[in-house]
Amino acid sequence: MKRVHNFSAGPAVLPLEVLKKAQEELPSYGDTGTSIMEQSHRGKAYSQIDAEAKERLNRILGLDDKFHILFLQGGASQQFMQVPYNLLGDDETADYIDTGRWSAKAITEAEIFGKVHVPFSSADDNYTHVPTSADQLDLTEGAKYVHITSNNTVVGTQLPTEPETNGVPLVCDASSDFLSRPIDVDKYGIIYAGAQKNLGPAGVTVVLVNKEFIKGQADRDIPTLLDYTTHTEKIFNTPPTFAVYMVNLVLEWVEEKGGLDYFQKVNNQKAELLYSTIDSDDFYRGTAKLDSRSKMNVTFRLPSEELEAQFLAEAAKHDLVALKGHRSVGGVRASIYNACPMESVQALVDFMKQFRSENG
Amino acid sequence: MKRVHNFSAGPAVLPLEVLKKAQEELPSYGDTGTSIMEQSHRGKAYSQIDAEAKERLNRILGLDDKFHILFLQGGASQQFMQVPYNLLGDDETADYIDTGRWSAKAITEAEIFGKVHVPFSSADDNYTHVPTSADQLDLTEGAKYVHITSNNTVVGTQLPTEPETNGVPLVCDASSDFLSRPIDVDKYGIIYAGAQKNLGPAGVTVVLVNKEFIKGQADRDIPTLLDYTTHTEKIFNTPPTFAVYMVNLVLEWVEEKGGLDYFQKVNNQKAELLYSTIDSDDFYRGTAKLDSRSKMNVTFRLPSEELEAQFLAEAAKHDLVALKGHRSVGGVRASIYNACPMESVQALVDFMKQFRSENG
């Protein structure tokens, strides 16, 4: 079985242990004689998977039962509209911090439902930096919530920590750094994350809804499926059962490895190894500003587009794949989520040094 | 590897050939060295899968390129609201034929957006029959569309063919009999189907949107993700890639077997075998009216609830599983979608005869 070093920005690499277990169990789950894909979402096996995954998230993040844990469909793109549909009344204001392409999309959808104020934007700076201190934020007093994108995959920036909002709940698109480090859950009204970067395959979105925050639902006629409260008490419609099964396996792996403290440490080490290689001279140039660099998506340029194309082609020959930067940025992007092993980062660094010595 | 006879109403049995291929390819797809789950939805491998699946649907159903083929998320429950959100203006009327629990849910969502008229309902008859002739339908002249549920999983009824609507386009929830028989596609404005019965695992919904019909979109501010036109020209956001990959394998299998004519023939044979066993004396009693019986979900009762419980318990010992009727109906339900092999139906019939001889 051939396996390569996979730096895809998403859908992204999964733990090999998880893939192997899924492979083994695929045609017959446990002693059921049917694939988990072929079983009712109200049956015993799936109900247990659903409950296990939720207990694991509760433990890993320290949610302390303060959140409804929902496995929804539609990705972060659905949450861009589902959040304001549920929570932003016509006359209410939400603050949206604009740190990239995905933040901007969230803003577009929120404007359909209520008032949006943008207390910070790095659009004029090609989104190469994020706010790193409170005085950069022009927050609205009494805002319903402050929306943040904790990590920005395109340019490769990441909020160093939760911004200070003076008690206004955060709503966070955490798709690309979910479970990569500890967070202060009490600051959040909603945390949502498409699974396909740090958590599992595409097709399921984890949505954590603070039980207090949801009490402030907007007074609006909302389709049943989009109403968060439809999903808080029971499984309403058929969930993406196989995707949730995979998420549960990944969560098991996260706990076995040592939880968020472990991943924060290893993710820091992986990022440090890459960034120090980039910074060691001026052949490679990091795309993001130093204080805004992401631990998940490491972006850099080479001296010319020709060298970048050559870099990507030679990297592929060394089984280092999916390194091409987002089309709007160019260059190289190495996505090094939780499941990207240190060995892959080391192989990339070795190749980078060799490439520089041959072409620098 | 243990495999049983699986009569689940959904998520339902998949072709064993498909499961085996998925198992083999799971950790490394083709020569890519990564799972198809770990690859970008804009990469070469997935783009090819997406295109192949669409070409296959076009061929199998004879769509003649008249439909946009969309792989969306959220199941039929999402389409209940997405259809009227897109197509039913505030002052427009749509006809909704009410043949069961799922039809009723579709009506609830449509009423949020426009005017709903119900030209037929069998609710007072516990949904045990469907309309079988045009004079049973009190249709609205100039309705925007007529919504039907082609097969009703709960009670086990099925429309024998498309109802006559005098040129008004049909919108069809075909989740539970999609690709089970040929249909007259020119009569349809939209056909949608959650994959988890006849088409693949849960987590993807096939939505076929007639290119002419979509021109009549309602004048309404609609979230980007819910607007059908967002998805007609390109892949907008990350699709449930593994589910679509599985759908493509199932479609390949459908074509290899012989397409809709083949499945219509075999599905008729399977249903005939079961219904003739039910009707051979009065120990088993079919739940649905004779002219409304489903070829997909065969529902029946036994002389007492005690015997039903005993039947289900003994069936499980014979590796005949997921036969319990829907909680709102009781009794027994054998779901025999495309991927349910004749051998499973034969095994069930053999058991039914034995059980009757021992308990009748």
Side-chain angles (χ1 to χ4, degrees):
Chain A
M1 181 189 67
K2 180 186 170 188
R3 291 278 296 174
V4 297
H5 299 294
N6 183 1
F7 298 96
S8 174
V13 62
L14 290 163
L16 186 56
E17 303 93 302
V18 166
L19 288 175
K20 283 183 172 170
K21 186 161 188 188
Q23 181 181 33
E24 185 191 323
E25 296 182 331
L26 196 118
S28 181
Y29 178 75
D31 63 355
T32 63
T34 68
S35 175
I36 191 65
M37 283 182 239
E38 302 174 298
Q39 297 186 31
S40 170
H41 53 293
R42 306 200 187 278
K44 191 175 152 194
Y46 182 75
S47 298
Q48 195 176 330
I49 287 167
D50 176 76
E52 247 180 47
K54 288 172 179 168
E55 284 160 21
R56 288 194 162 117
L57 278 167
N58 215 0
R59 276 198 302 271
I60 291 168
L61 281 160
L63 298 180
D64 205 16
D65 289 322
K66 292 176 189 161
F67 287 76
H68 298 291
I69 300 174
L70 315 180
F71 297 129
L72 303 183
Q73 298 182 59
S77 295
Q78 177 159 323
Q79 295 311 307
F80 295 163
M81 59 99 173
Q82 197 167 357
V83 166
Y85 214 147
N86 276 268
L87 285 150
L88 189 59
D90 295 349
D91 296 325
E92 292 177 316
T93 298
D95 283 354
Y96 274 71
I97 295 179
D98 177 27
T99 54
R101 181 187 179 82
W102 299 105
S103 307
K105 283 175 184 260
I107 290 169
T108 300
E109 303 308 311
E111 284 171 340
I112 298 175
F113 299 99
K115 295 176 184 167
V116 172
H117 169 69
V118 178
F120 172 95
S121 175
S122 50
D124 291 344
D125 187 29
N126 294 320
Y127 290 126
T128 53
H129 74 284
V130 296
T132 51
S133 70
D135 58 9
Q136 292 171 283
L137 301 178
D138 166 34
L139 296 172
T140 304
E141 205 171 306
K144 189 69 176 280
Y145 57 84
V146 177
H147 184 279
I148 56 174
T149 314
S150 51
N151 183 78
N152 303 279
T153 50
V154 174
V155 178
T157 63
Q158 187 176 24
L159 291 172
T161 184
E162 291 91 2
E164 178 54 56
T165 61
N166 308 311
V168 177
L170 291 169
V171 171
C172 180
D173 176 359
S175 295
S176 52
D177 67 356
F178 193 62
L179 303 189
S180 72
R181 58 182 179 182
I183 57 172
D184 183 353
V185 295
D186 288 329
K187 291 183 172 166
Y188 293 85
I190 292 180
I191 305 169
Y192 61 89
Q196 66 269 19
K197 287 146 195 316
N198 253 329
L199 199 61
V204 62
T205 314
V206 172
V207 184
L208 309 177
V209 182
N210 188 301
K211 292 177 183 176
E212 286 302 310
F213 185 58
I214 191 66
K215 290 180 184 166
Q217 244 189 340
D219 181 23
R220 176 179 288 138
D221 209 5
I222 181 168
T224 308
L225 188 78
L226 295 179
D227 188 333
Y228 286 128
T229 65
T230 297
H231 306 278
T232 51
E233 299 310 323
K234 62 175 198 307
I235 294 180
F236 172 66
N237 64 329
T238 315
T241 52
F242 184 75
V244 175
Y245 156 80
M246 290 294 295
V247 164
N248 188 41
L249 292 183
V250 172
L251 293 173
E252 182 182 21
W253 173 83
V254 167
E255 288 201 297
E256 282 172 6
K257 286 286 179 183
L260 302 191
D261 289 332
Y262 169 85
F263 282 103
Q264 181 174 42
K265 193 182 77 181
V266 174
N267 287 328
N268 282 344
Q269 288 169 349
K270 290 188 294 185
E272 169 61 20
L273 182 56
L274 261 172
Y275 284 121
S276 64
T277 306
I278 291 168
D279 294 338
S280 64
D281 65 20
D282 58 0
F283 183 75
Y284 299 113
R285 285 171 297 117
T287 306
K289 296 265 174 20
L290 285 182
D291 66 357
S292 301
R293 281 175 161 179
S294 167
K295 309 280 171 73
M296 298 282 102
N297 311 96
V298 176
T299 53
F300 56 96
R301 306 298 307 253
L302 274 70
S304 70
E305 291 192 6
E306 290 67 33
L307 275 171
E308 285 169 350
Q310 188 187 336
F311 178 95
L312 294 171
E314 290 188 22
K317 287 181 193 157
H318 286 73
D319 284 345
L320 301 158
V321 309
L323 281 164
K324 192 174 180 180
H326 191 275
R327 58 191 178 279
S328 66
V329 174
V332 180
R333 170 173 58 178
S335 297
I336 52 172
Y337 304 117
N338 283 358
C340 176
M342 178 60 89
E343 296 73 49
S344 289
V345 177
Q346 188 61 56
L348 173 59
V349 163
D350 292 345
F351 170 74
M352 287 169 70
K353 288 177 181 168
Q354 185 193 327
F355 189 86
R356 177 167 50 197
S357 74
E358 290 169 6
N359 299 278
Chain B
M1 182 189 67
K2 180 186 170 188
R3 290 279 296 173
V4 297
H5 299 293
N6 182 1
F7 298 96
S8 174
V13 62
L14 290 163
L16 186 55
E17 302 94 303
V18 166
L19 288 174
K20 282 183 171 169
K21 187 160 187 189
Q23 182 182 33
E24 186 190 323
E25 296 182 332
L26 196 118
S28 181
Y29 177 76
D31 63 354
T32 63
T34 68
S35 175
I36 192 64
M37 285 183 236
E38 301 173 298
Q39 296 186 30
S40 169
H41 53 292
R42 307 200 187 277
K44 193 175 151 193
Y46 182 76
S47 298
Q48 195 177 331
I49 287 168
D50 177 76
E52 246 180 48
K54 288 171 180 169
E55 285 160 20
R56 288 193 162 117
L57 278 167
N58 216 359
R59 276 198 303 269
I60 292 168
L61 281 160
L63 298 180
D64 206 15
D65 290 322
K66 291 176 190 160
F67 288 76
H68 298 291
I69 301 174
L70 316 180
F71 297 128
L72 304 183
Q73 298 182 59
S77 294
Q78 176 159 322
Q79 296 311 307
F80 295 164
M81 59 99 173
Q82 196 167 357
V83 166
Y85 214 147
N86 277 267
L87 285 149
L88 190 59
D90 296 349
D91 296 325
E92 293 178 316
T93 299
D95 283 354
Y96 274 71
I97 295 179
D98 177 27
T99 54
R101 180 188 178 81
W102 299 103
S103 307
K105 283 175 183 261
I107 290 168
T108 300
E109 304 307 311
E111 284 171 340
I112 298 175
F113 299 99
K115 296 176 184 168
V116 172
H117 169 69
V118 178
F120 172 95
S121 176
S122 51
D124 291 345
D125 187 30
N126 294 321
Y127 290 125
T128 53
H129 74 284
V130 296
T132 51
S133 71
D135 58 10
Q136 291 171 283
L137 300 179
D138 165 33
L139 295 172
T140 304
E141 206 170 304
K144 190 68 176 280
Y145 57 84
V146 177
H147 184 278
I148 56 174
T149 314
S150 51
N151 182 78
N152 303 280
T153 50
V154 173
V155 178
T157 63
Q158 186 176 25
L159 291 172
T161 183
E162 290 92 1
E164 178 54 57
T165 59
N166 308 313
V168 177
L170 291 169
V171 171
C172 180
D173 176 359
S175 295
S176 53
D177 67 357
F178 192 63
L179 304 190
S180 72
R181 58 182 179 182
I183 58 171
D184 183 353
V185 295
D186 288 329
K187 292 183 173 165
Y188 293 85
I190 292 179
I191 305 169
Y192 61 89
Q196 66 269 19
K197 289 148 196 313
N198 253 329
L199 199 61
V204 62
T205 314
V206 172
V207 184
L208 310 176
V209 182
N210 188 301
K211 291 176 183 175
E212 286 302 311
F213 185 58
I214 191 66
K215 290 179 184 168
Q217 243 187 341
D219 182 21
R220 175 179 288 137
D221 208 5
I222 182 169
T224 309
L225 188 78
L226 295 179
D227 188 333
Y228 286 128
T229 64
T230 298
H231 306 276
T232 52
E233 300 310 322
K234 62 175 199 305
I235 295 180
F236 172 66
N237 63 329
T238 315
T241 53
F242 184 74
V244 175
Y245 157 79
M246 290 294 295
V247 165
N248 188 41
L249 292 183
V250 172
L251 293 173
E252 182 182 22
W253 173 83
V254 167
E255 288 201 297
E256 283 172 5
K257 285 285 180 184
L260 301 191
D261 289 333
Y262 169 85
F263 282 103
Q264 181 174 42
K265 194 182 77 181
V266 175
N267 286 330
N268 282 343
Q269 288 169 350
K270 290 188 294 184
E272 169 62 19
L273 183 57
L274 261 172
Y275 283 122
S276 65
T277 306
I278 291 168
D279 295 338
S280 64
D281 67 18
D282 59 1
F283 183 75
Y284 299 112
R285 284 172 297 117
T287 306
K289 296 266 176 14
L290 286 181
D291 67 356
S292 302
R293 281 176 161 179
S294 168
K295 308 281 170 73
M296 299 282 102
N297 311 97
V298 176
T299 53
F300 55 97
R301 307 298 308 253
L302 275 70
S304 70
E305 291 192 6
E306 290 68 33
L307 275 171
E308 286 169 350
Q310 188 187 335
F311 178 95
L312 295 171
E314 290 188 21
K317 287 181 192 158
H318 288 73
D319 284 344
L320 301 158
V321 309
L323 282 164
K324 192 172 180 182
H326 190 275
R327 59 191 178 280
S328 65
V329 174
V332 180
R333 171 173 57 178
S335 298
I336 52 172
Y337 304 116
N338 284 359
C340 176
M342 178 60 88
E343 296 72 49
S344 290
V345 177
Q346 189 61 57
L348 174 58
V349 163
D350 292 345
F351 171 74
M352 287 170 71
K353 289 178 179 168
Q354 184 193 327
F355 189 85
R356 177 167 50 198
S357 75
E358 289 169 7
N359 299 279

